[in-house]
């Protein structure tokens, strides 16, 4: 018999660590590759226009890069399964960065388009591989927040690169930007040392387009594609639509979009973990549609700045919400497929939007073409509302 009072043992559980050393190295690598992309996103169209290729050439440059990314994204899950993260991500960094140096010696449209195709393949490898790795190395219960942090790592280069690229064209010239874009991707190759050499065995035999019917993946894929159509159009054609003496306005507008997108992506991730992503998707699309339609008043400084801000908020939130919805609906064996599908929607919408807009604007003018862009985003609100209603019931 004992007289001591015995108290029940209380076990205190702590949330699993989110940002590990491996995740941190991945974020550095994502930052470098993202800066390489965004520095030239609006600059290459300006470079072509300055050398006589006009708006059609600008649309083709963006379209070539993004559609090449789409084609490559279908192959990336198999590449990852065969060669592992280190080899495949290293290849992506090289393909994204090195070809930028060739722009130093030519402005020929066919050559520039070829460079864009090669860079698009590198971009595809990076985005699909990075998103799959984020899902693989982070805890299930904190995945939305992890994608939010990843979104910041992707978004900060946009904050720096989109406006800075346009601004620096008149300050240091195109050549310095081409070198900087190459260096930003190639210098982070050292981060590969901390990446896994292989993916999990269970992901090896999943086809990107296989088993979509009834999977719940098609709705968020097509909804997100509608938003990315507007994203590709805004960064490609806003610098061309605004008068040449107002490049500082364009730089500011792109800065606002670039700042608000990652912030919204992070916030959406935090709240999506609590209330579910489907409930937040429709409001995000309303913001995106409103922002996409604002450049209808292309002569208004206020419309351009407010529109870029609203679109950035909606676009950033939609990025996180659609991706989280897709990962929540599949087992781990299909993580590679989800990463590829989501990035197909991203790059396919971006590329097709730029190409079609370039053709449409020649006949309608910028105001009507921007209005049609907003209508495409607005149509995506309908399935988003249905998903929200289903989530509440």
């Amino acid at each position: 018999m004992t007289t001591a009072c015995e108290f029940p043992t209380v076990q205190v559980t702590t949330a699993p660590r989110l940002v590990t050393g491996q995740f941190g190295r991945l974020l550095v690598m994502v930052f470098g590759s993202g800066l390489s992309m965004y520095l030239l996103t609006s600059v290459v169209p300006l470079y072509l226009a300055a050398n006589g290729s006009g708006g059609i050439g600008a649309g083709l440059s963006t379209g070539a890069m993004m559609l090449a990314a789409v084609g490559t994204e279908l192959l990336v899950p198999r590449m990852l399964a065969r060669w592992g993260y280190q080899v495949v991500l290293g290849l992506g960094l090289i393909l994204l960065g090195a070809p930028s140096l060739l722009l130093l010696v030519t402005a020929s449209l066919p050559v520039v388009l070829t460079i864009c195709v090669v860079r698009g393949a590198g971009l595809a490898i990076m985005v699909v591989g990075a998103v799959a790795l984020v899902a693989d190395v982070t805890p299930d219960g904190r995945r939305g927040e992890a994608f939010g942090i990843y979104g910041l790592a992707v978004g900060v280069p946009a904050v720096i690169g989109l406006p800075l690229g346009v601004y620096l064209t008149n300050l240091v010239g195109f050549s310095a930007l081409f070198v900087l874009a190459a260096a930003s991707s190639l210098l982070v190759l050292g981060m590969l040392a901390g990446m896994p050499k292989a993916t999990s065995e269970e992901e090896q035999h999943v086809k990107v387009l296989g088993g979509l019917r009834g999977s719940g993946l098609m709705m968020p894929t097509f909804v997100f594609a509608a938003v990315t159509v507007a994203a590709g159009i805004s960064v490609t054609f806003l610098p061309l639509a605004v008068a040449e003496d107002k490049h500082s306005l364009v730089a500011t507008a792109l800065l606002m979009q670039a700042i608000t997108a990652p912030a919204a992506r992070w916030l959406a991730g935090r709240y999506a973990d609590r209330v579910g992503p489907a409930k937040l998707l429709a409001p995000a699309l309303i913001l995106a549609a409103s922002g996409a339609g604002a450049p209808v008043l292309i002569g208004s400084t206020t419309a351009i700045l407010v529109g870029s801000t609203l679109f950035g908020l909606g676009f950033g939130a939609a990025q996180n919400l659609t991706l989280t919805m897709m990962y929540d609906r599949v087992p781990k064996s299909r993580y590679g497929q989800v990463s590829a599908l989501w990035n197909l929607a991203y790059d396919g919408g971006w590329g097709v939007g730029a190409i079609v807009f370039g053709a449409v604007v020649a006949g309608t003018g910028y105001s009507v073409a921007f209005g049609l862009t907003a209508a495409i985003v607005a149509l995506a609100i309908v399935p988003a509302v249905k998903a929200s209603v289903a989530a509440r019931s």
Side-chain angles (χ1 to χ4, degrees), residues 166 239 242-252 298-301 304:
V166 174
V242 176
E244 290 186 6
D245 61 347
K246 293 185 177 180
H247 274 181
S248 60
L249 170 62
V250 176
T252 303
I298 196 62
S300 169
T301 298
I304 291 174

Side-chain angles (χ1 to χ4, degrees), residues 15-365:
R17 185 181 178 187
L18 185 59
V19 181
T20 61
Q22 189 178 71
F23 191 18
R25 286 188 288 272
L26 173 62
L27 294 178
V28 172
M29 194 161 53
V30 165
F31 175 87
S33 61
L35 187 60
S36 179
M37 174 193 171
Y38 285 114
L39 275 172
L40 301 187
T41 297
S42 295
V43 167
V44 170
L46 286 173
Y47 181 58
L48 287 171
N51 286 278
S53 294
I56 293 178
L60 287 175
S61 67
T62 299
M65 182 173 182
M66 293 308 178
L67 294 183
V70 168
T72 306
E73 282 160 358
L74 293 169
L75 306 175
V76 176
R78 184 172 295 182
M79 293 168 64
L80 289 171
R82 184 170 182 177
W83 296 311
Y85 285 112
Q86 280 191 356
V87 171
V88 175
L89 291 176
L91 176 63
L93 288 171
I94 292 170
L95 293 179
L96 182 61
S100 304
L101 297 174
L102 295 177
L103 293 170
L104 293 168
V105 297
T106 182
S108 167
L109 181 59
V111 177
V112 172
L113 293 181
T114 301
I115 293 169
C116 291
V117 166
V118 176
R119 295 190 76 229
L123 173 66
I125 292 171
M126 288 307 303
V127 294
V128 174
V131 170
L133 188 54
V134 170
D136 221 2
V137 301
T138 54
D140 290 348
R142 304 189 70 185
R143 187 174 297 129
E145 187 176 359
F147 285 136
I149 294 173
Y150 167 79
L152 289 174
V154 174
V156 171
V159 172
I160 299 171
L162 280 174
L164 188 63
V166 174
Y167 177 74
L168 289 180
T169 53
N170 295 324
L171 200 63
V172 299
F174 291 110
S175 295
L177 285 167
F178 298 152
V179 172
L180 183 58
S184 64
S185 183
L186 298 177
L187 288 177
V188 296
L189 282 167
M191 295 295 105
L192 290 169
M195 294 298 105
K197 293 183 178 180
T199 58
S200 60
E201 290 291 327
E202 61 181 342
E203 294 189 37
Q204 290 191 6
H205 303 293
V206 177
K207 295 181 179 180
V208 173
L209 300 179
L212 290 181
R213 181 172 296 179
S215 65
L217 298 178
M218 293 185 70
M219 186 279 288
T221 298
F222 285 108
V223 164
F224 185 53
V227 184
T228 62
V229 164
I233 288 169
S234 66
V235 299
T236 302
F237 288 97
L238 192 60
L240 302 178
V242 176
E244 290 186 6
D245 61 347
K246 293 185 177 180
H247 274 181
S248 60
L249 170 62
V250 176
T252 303
L254 292 176
L255 177 62
M256 295 305 300
Q257 180 174 319
I259 289 174
T260 53
R265 190 170 180 175
W266 175 70
L267 286 172
R270 286 184 61 86
Y271 285 103
D273 284 342
R274 303 173 188 177
V275 303
K279 297 178 182 179
L280 303 176
L281 185 56
L285 294 176
I286 292 171
L287 288 173
S290 301
V296 167
L297 303 173
I298 196 62
S300 169
T301 298
T302 301
I304 291 174
L305 293 177
V306 172
S308 295
T309 301
L310 291 177
F311 183 76
L313 290 169
F315 178 51
Q319 284 180 291
N320 194 307
L321 298 171
T322 53
L323 186 59
T324 303
M325 286 176 68
M326 293 170 74
Y327 274 114
D328 286 348
R329 294 178 177 187
V330 299
K332 190 172 184 178
S333 61
R334 299 180 70 175
Y335 279 5
Q337 180 188 26
V338 166
S339 176
L341 276 175
W342 186 84
N343 284 290
L344 280 171
Y346 195 123
D347 298 333
W350 193 299
V352 171
I355 292 173
V356 173
F357 189 94
V360 170
V361 74
T364 65

